[in-house]
Amino acid sequence: MNATVIPPFARTYRYDAIDREFLAERIAEFRGQVARRLAGDLTEDEFKPLRLMNGLYLQLHAYMLRVAIPYGVLNAPQLRQLAMIARRWDRGFGHFTTRQNIQFNWTKLEDVPEMLEALAEVDMHAIQTSGNCIRNVTTDEYAGASPDEVVDPRVYAEILRQWSTLHPEFTWLPRKFKFAITGSPSDRVASLVHDIGVAAKRNAEGEVGFEIHVGGGLGRTPLIGRRLYDFVPEAEFLGRMEAILRVYNALGERDNIYKARIKILVRDLGEEFRALVDAEYDRMPQQAYRLDPEIVAAIAAHFAPPPFARLEDRPLPQDPAFAAWARASVRPHKQPGYASVTISLKPIGGIPGDASASQMEAVADLAERHSFGEIRVSHVQNLVLPHVRQEDLHALWQGLAAHGLATPNIGLISDIIACPGMDYCALATARSIPVAQRISERFADLDRQHDIGECFINISGCINACGHHHVAHIGILGVDKRGEEVYQVTLGGSATNDAAIGELIGPAFGYDDIVDAIETIIRTHIAHRAPGERFVDTYRRIGAAPFKEALYAVA
Amino acid sequence: MSSKAKSRPATSPVVFSGNGLRDGRVAWMGTEGRWEPRLGAVTPFAPEAAAEGLALAQQGERQQRVVGVYAVELGADGLPLKFRERLRLGGPSIDAEAA
């Protein structure tokens, strides 16, 4: 039994006895597989797919365990348990990822069964964080809190999670498969660059339905998703998803890993893809896939609003340092008198997305004190306290600052997404993290960051694009060129409603030159921008030529 | 086999590397046939002995000591030629958070 006391109003999905029994069996199974591997009864080739199914990779320096954080939602005991795992079995820190998961970079194989048992104690696991299956569904980190929300996406993210977990047909897809779902008209989940991007919305009658984009993705072949349906009624949601996955499972490329994602199939089939999905749906036993309103209501109950107090919005204290933090980190809430707070995991010169065990514990404590015990992980590698009383913001800020968690740079140039890169990742061709560190140090001055305005820099250490570089305002891709790290720069990308793939600006820059190149790009923006223009707006208005000229002009 | 060793003939002295099965940590092997955590503790093979070295390294896989062995060419300074391997030698180039 799970003896952990979960804050009563933290809106995380609660496991039942069947869930817990299944996890216990699964861990026992993996414990046996590890034992057989260590005894030599399984070869590495036999064991590798088994460990990957349990989220265990072998990286450059050690095993890495990737833990699923369903749609980025955590309660305080879960975050505390992650801190305990980091301290006991890793090196005292964890790395939050662009899929709203967490990775432990210094795992030992023989420790993994115990780590999984520790996760299970707080209703967590590492299943389907690797392999050619449906991965963790991501959603809006402000779900249930944002004033512009039309539908709570957590409900349908959880439905997708239950549907896709150990789905017998979709355990061996041609390639991995990623969903993102938003419930707001403003896309904060990069839905258009996912295998399936879901926008939950309501029709004129107030009924819930789903706009579906399919075939988006980054990596070697970056593509924006195509709109497949404008409004799938709630009852048909899972059936339509099933039909899409079946068509992909049947027709997706399996012989060439570079052409195996659904985006290639969708691109190559064009309109025919829709016809195939419709035909598949038509021949399915649709009643069996009908999403029962009672099931939806039961799951929605897990995400009911916490007991908000009746409060009025209030002016914030004038303390300049607090005001600077609040300007960047505090976001309006749908409930008067409350706010959402984004906690930067991007200290100047720090490792994007990393949090130490003591920081995780501090955030868990602050969440219990100020946010009903609930924490979110954003795909931008920050944390969020979704429901904070405005009257508590100053105290929260002080609490965060005491643990190095009050860097006021959310949405600014030092709020950088970076994959682990070659410092950890076996696939990487160049380092990402030290480039992010040097850029944030170059632009450390907060006044300068605010003057530059909203500007997203994303860095990937290889073409697989875990750092989402294609959809950054300024994207950086590290590649190997004859044994040296060089960095390609793309400009003008976007991951929001106006999703766009950035354009390659020209020849790559060396490791020692890339920060100066970013400086030149920013100076060019400043020189050409119209009042109030963001970097990406300036780029779209004036085009690449001024930037190329500034970067490559021969002195 | 899980070995990543490639067939291109070595032109420089080589050692073999892989990750420890139990802990995943980087390990190096030279003519002594022992797997060591430090490159400096092993003696490189001459280029023409690389094939013999690979056979020895693959024994380490079969004995459940290491995973994914492959040859690493060394330069005149005795360090790996490839940047990736130099990173594996010293660990991440960044200081991670301390507990």
Side-chain angles (χ1 to χ4, degrees):
Chain A
M1 278 300 290
N2 183 352
T4 304
V5 178
I6 299 174
F9 303 114
R11 299 315 191 195
T12 46
Y13 183 78
R14 310 294 168 93
Y15 283 12
D16 59 20
I18 295 171
D19 294 322
R20 297 203 175 97
E21 185 181 341
F22 160 72
L23 263 194
E25 289 173 359
R26 174 79 176 224
I27 294 166
E29 178 186 66
F30 190 58
R31 182 183 285 283
Q33 290 163 347
V34 170
R36 287 159 65 203
R37 175 69 187 110
L38 292 174
D41 296 334
L42 290 175
T43 66
E44 184 61 17
D45 288 346
E46 290 166 335
F47 180 64
K48 184 177 177 181
L50 303 176
R51 67 169 161 78
L52 289 176
M53 282 182 173
N54 289 281
L56 188 65
Y57 289 73
L58 182 54
Q59 299 283 58
L60 280 192
H61 311 288
Y63 291 98
M64 177 272 282
L65 183 66
R66 180 181 293 154
V67 176
I69 299 175
Y71 32 93
V73 178
L74 285 167
N75 58 50
Q78 289 176 325
L79 187 54
R80 250 183 231 112
Q81 191 80 333
L82 294 174
M84 185 280 286
I85 289 170
R87 193 174 274 128
R88 180 167 173 189
W89 289 295
D90 204 274
R91 291 189 173 179
F93 66 97
H95 177 76
F96 290 98
T97 76
T98 52
R99 284 222 70 69
Q100 300 178 317
N101 289 324
I102 188 169
Q103 298 182 174
F104 296 108
N105 283 320
W106 296 97
T107 303
K108 293 180 180 176
L109 176 59
E110 54 201 358
D111 292 338
V112 174
E114 278 188 274
M115 295 171 79
L116 296 178
E117 282 173 358
L119 289 169
E121 287 173 8
V122 290
D123 295 351
M124 297 183 77
H125 59 69
I127 298 167
Q128 290 186 205
T129 59
S130 177
N132 294 335
C133 55
I134 299 172
R135 304 288 189 89
N136 190 31
V137 176
T138 51
T139 194
D140 188 350
E141 62 267 28
Y142 304 114
S146 184
D148 67 349
E149 185 171 281
V150 181
V151 176
D152 189 334
R154 292 171 297 176
V155 176
Y156 302 95
E158 173 59 25
I159 288 169
L160 287 172
R161 186 189 74 81
Q162 293 191 19
W163 163 74
S164 63
T165 299
L166 303 185
H167 191 302
E169 275 189 57
F170 305 144
T171 301
W172 302 100
L173 292 168
R175 197 75 180 90
K176 59 188 171 182
F177 202 94
K178 298 177 181 178
F179 277 87
I181 178 167
T182 176
S184 299
S186 179
D187 183 354
R188 288 180 287 269
V189 303
S191 71
L192 298 182
V193 289
H194 278 73
D195 296 296
I196 291 182
V198 181
K201 54 188 189 180
R202 292 182 187 275
N203 63 12
E205 289 71 43
E207 297 162 330
V208 171
F210 305 91
E211 182 177 337
I212 306 295
H213 282 79
V214 64
L218 301 174
R220 189 173 298 266
T221 309
L223 291 167
I224 302 296
R226 293 182 181 210
R227 190 161 66 179
L228 190 67
Y229 299 116
D230 185 56
F231 194 87
V232 172
E234 182 184 86
E236 296 179 17
F237 181 50
L238 284 187
R240 296 283 178 183
M241 298 303 104
E242 181 94 8
I244 294 170
L245 266 293
R246 282 187 174 189
V247 170
Y248 170 53
N249 207 17
L251 301 180
E253 172 68 52
R254 287 182 185 269
D255 296 330
N256 183 344
I257 191 172
Y258 302 124
K259 295 183 176 178
R261 296 291 289 266
I262 193 174
K263 62 188 174 185
I264 304 298
L265 184 69
V266 172
R267 182 195 66 183
D268 292 350
L269 290 178
E271 276 303 302
E272 190 188 348
F273 182 81
R274 185 199 315 271
L276 289 167
V277 172
D278 286 345
E280 182 64 28
Y281 182 73
D282 288 344
R283 79 180 188 85
M284 284 166 50
Q286 291 170 14
Q287 202 56 33
Y289 290 93
R290 234 181 140 65
L291 193 49
D292 186 334
E294 285 185 19
I295 291 175
V296 177
I299 290 177
H302 289 262
F303 304 104
F308 292 119
R310 287 175 176 270
L311 301 170
E312 300 288 328
D313 284 333
R314 51 189 289 153
L316 300 180
Q318 294 299 306
D319 173 349
F322 167 76
W325 171 80
R327 181 181 171 194
S329 308
V330 175
R331 195 171 183 284
H333 197 286
K334 62 166 69 169
Q335 182 72 20
Y338 284 81
S340 297
V341 170
T342 308
I343 301 169
S344 174
L345 296 183
K346 320 287 177 64
I348 299 303
I351 298 172
D354 269 19
S356 68
S358 57
Q359 286 177 322
M360 288 188 242
E361 288 162 345
V363 171
D365 291 347
L366 291 166
E368 283 183 335
R369 202 172 305 148
H370 298 298
S371 186
F372 299 101
E374 194 173 324
I375 306 104
R376 312 280 176 77
V377 183
S378 79
H379 86 277
V380 186
Q381 300 179 283
N382 291 315
L383 300 179
V384 168
L385 299 187
H387 314 299
V388 180
R389 288 186 184 212
Q390 292 170 8
E391 64 195 30
D392 289 353
L393 287 170
H394 195 272
L396 171 61
W397 166 66
Q398 290 176 315
L400 291 170
H403 295 277
L405 292 165
T407 307
N409 61 349
I410 299 301
L412 301 177
I413 194 168
S414 63
D415 186 5
I416 297 169
I417 291 177
C419 72
M422 200 193 273
D423 279 299
Y424 291 102
C425 178
L427 300 175
T429 45
R431 289 173 293 169
S432 304
I433 294 168
V435 175
Q437 290 174 309
R438 289 163 55 220
I439 291 172
S440 79
E441 284 165 352
R442 173 69 66 92
F443 293 96
D445 181 84
L446 192 60
D447 290 337
R448 189 177 181 209
Q449 292 195 52
H450 277 291
D451 178 54
I452 294 166
E454 183 182 282
C455 183
F456 298 119
I457 295 181
N458 298 353
I459 308 173
S460 300
C462 80
I463 193 63
N464 293 308
C466 293
H468 294 192
H469 65 277
H470 295 107
V471 288
H473 296 173
I474 302 174
I476 300 174
L477 167 63
V479 296
D480 177 287
K481 186 178 180 183
R482 290 189 288 276
E484 296 295 326
E485 298 167 293
V486 298
Y487 294 86
Q488 298 176 355
V489 175
T490 52
L491 299 182
S494 170
T496 57
N497 297 68
D498 59 353
I501 304 300
E503 297 163 323
L504 184 64
I505 194 71
F509 300 90
Y511 180 81
D512 293 333
D513 301 326
I514 182 62
V515 179
D516 286 339
I518 301 302
E519 174 86 45
T520 299
I521 289 166
I522 292 301
R523 286 180 186 276
T524 306
H525 158 58
I526 301 289
H528 289 83
R529 69 181 172 184
E533 244 181 7
R534 301 174 305 159
F535 171 83
V536 70
D537 302 325
T538 304
Y539 178 80
R540 288 173 179 169
R541 180 172 56 79
I542 68 176
F547 295 94
K548 285 187 179 181
E549 188 177 330
L551 286 166
Y552 301 112
V554 179
Chain B
M1 290 297 294
S2 59
S3 170
K4 295 179 279 188
K6 292 179 181 172
S7 57
R8 183 178 66 81
T11 55
S12 309
V14 297
V15 294
F16 290 83
S17 190
N19 292 79
L21 171 63
R22 285 178 178 273
D23 60 9
R25 301 297 193 266
V26 175
W28 307 91
M29 190 210 78
T31 56
E32 300 85 355
R34 292 191 311 269
W35 289 94
E36 299 282 351
R38 290 189 314 109
L39 175 64
V42 307
T43 306
F45 291 88
E48 57 275 17
E52 170 195 335
L54 177 61
L56 198 57
Q58 287 171 337
Q59 269 187 29
E61 289 184 319
R62 288 191 290 272
Q63 293 166 350
Q64 321 311 328
R65 290 181 186 166
V66 288
V67 177
V69 302
Y70 58 98
V72 175
E73 290 193 65
L74 305 181
D77 57 1
L79 298 176
L81 290 172
K82 289 189 174 174
F83 180 71
R84 179 183 192 274
E85 297 309 319
R86 293 201 294 274
L87 261 184
R88 290 180 75 246
L89 188 62
S93 67
I94 48 179
D95 289 327
E97 301 275 358

